[in-house]
Amino acid sequence: SAVISQKPSRDICQRGTSLTIQCQVDSQVTMMFWYRQQPGQSLTLIATANQGSEATYESGFVIDKFPISRPNLTFSTLTVSNMSPEDSSIYLCSVEVPWQETQYFGPGTRLLVL
Amino acid sequence: AQSVTQLGSHVSVSEGALVLLRCNYSSSVPPYLFWYVQYPNQGLQLLLKYTSAATLVKGINGFEAEFKKSETSFHLTKPSAHMSDAAEYFCAVGGGGADGLTFGKGTHLIIQP
């Protein structure tokens, strides 16, 4: 498996501001993913972050709103830009462990936008 | 495109009773299938996965799931429910390389004392 940490664990932000969420994994992985879980809902994939290339975004998510960085094989960031109350969600990162075809998830970042 | 349907947003069972959480999938290729559990205010924990080996998959905490291709199902079971099993359970399809996961809407498992 993999041990994944996220910072911050939770935050309360004002509308119009931006928040950067960090994801750190304890081993080198090729693929990292970012998901959103809106209140009482399931998880929706935002984007796939492959080290050394641009992130690939799912339909409905754009780079200007959710810029992602992937500077090395153990770290990624997701920025939620120009936030509105509709961005209040749990944001989770996950990693695909090589040769296991399995994704392991971080503890999530709980974001409330006022 | 892949999709997952979880029947029953809420399932309530008595402590010691059988737990059955239903999951049906749609996939154009042989799928990877997963069950994850989410306890309150926590992230997702992998319960078990199917990756085209044995059709009956055993996971953690006494859970198991059976892959039935003819029924496109991957139902999760546990013979005897425990109070600590109360949580949200998600079925997911996909994965393997660059693919993200497609999740079902989740089933909230309630354990009655």
Side-chain angles (χ1 to χ4, degrees), chain A residues 7-89:
Chain A
K7 291 181 181 180
S9 60
R10 60 180 66 238
D11 207 343
I12 301 174
C13 300
Q14 297 298 317
R15 69 172 65 209
T17 62
S18 298
L19 177 72
T20 295
I21 302 168
Q22 300 178 5
C23 179
Q24 179 79 51
V25 60
D26 68 340
S27 58
Q28 294 185 338
V29 295
T30 302
M31 307 303 301
M32 296 181 78
F33 305 86
W34 287 98
Y35 292 81
R36 181 176 72 182
Q37 186 179 23
Q38 295 178 299
Q41 303 297 316
S42 186
L43 284 79
T44 300
L45 180 65
I46 297 172
T48 301
N50 189 4
Q51 196 272 334
S53 62
E54 295 291 322
T56 302
Y57 290 83
E58 297 298 300
S59 176
F61 297 97
V62 295
I63 187 171
D64 290 345
K65 176 67 175 177
F66 297 101
I68 289 171
S69 77
R70 182 76 202 277
N72 58 51
L73 291 173
T74 64
F75 187 79
S76 178
T77 66
L78 170 76
T79 299
V80 186
S81 303
N82 188 25
M83 288 183 287
S84 67
E86 291 70 35
D87 294 318
S88 297
S89 296

Side-chain angles (χ1 to χ4, degrees), chain A residues 10 31 33 35 37 40-45 48 90 92 96 99-108 110, chain B residues 32 34 36 38-44 46 49 51 90 94-101 103-106:
Chain A
R10 60 180 66 238
M31 307 303 301
F33 305 86
Y35 292 81
Q37 186 179 23
Q41 303 297 316
S42 186
L43 284 79
T44 300
L45 180 65
T48 301
I90 303 172
L92 300 103
E96 172 106 355
W99 305 294
Q100 290 192 22
E101 293 88 33
T102 301
Q103 287 187 27
Y104 295 92
F105 285 79
R110 286 155 179 77
Chain B
Y32 292 161
F34 306 85
Y36 289 88
Q38 186 177 37
Y39 297 102
N41 298 313
Q42 295 188 27
L44 270 70
L46 178 69
K49 66 178 181 181
T51 56
F90 293 97
D99 294 335
L101 295 174
F103 282 85
K105 292 185 180 299

Side-chain angles (χ1 to χ4, degrees), chain B residues 41-96:
Chain B
N41 298 313
Q42 295 188 27
L44 270 70
Q45 180 180 5
L46 178 69
L47 273 179
L48 49 80
K49 66 178 181 181
Y50 168 78
T51 56
S52 75
T55 57
L56 182 62
V57 181
K58 295 187 182 298
I60 63 171
N61 301 339
F63 285 94
E64 64 182 36
E66 185 173 9
F67 172 71
K68 292 187 176 180
K69 184 178 179 179
S70 62
E71 299 177 7
T72 60
S73 68
F74 190 57
H75 302 330
L76 182 71
T77 60
K78 181 175 180 178
S80 177
H82 191 272
M83 295 299 291
S84 61
D85 295 326
E88 191 80 17
Y89 291 79
F90 293 97
C91 182
V93 64

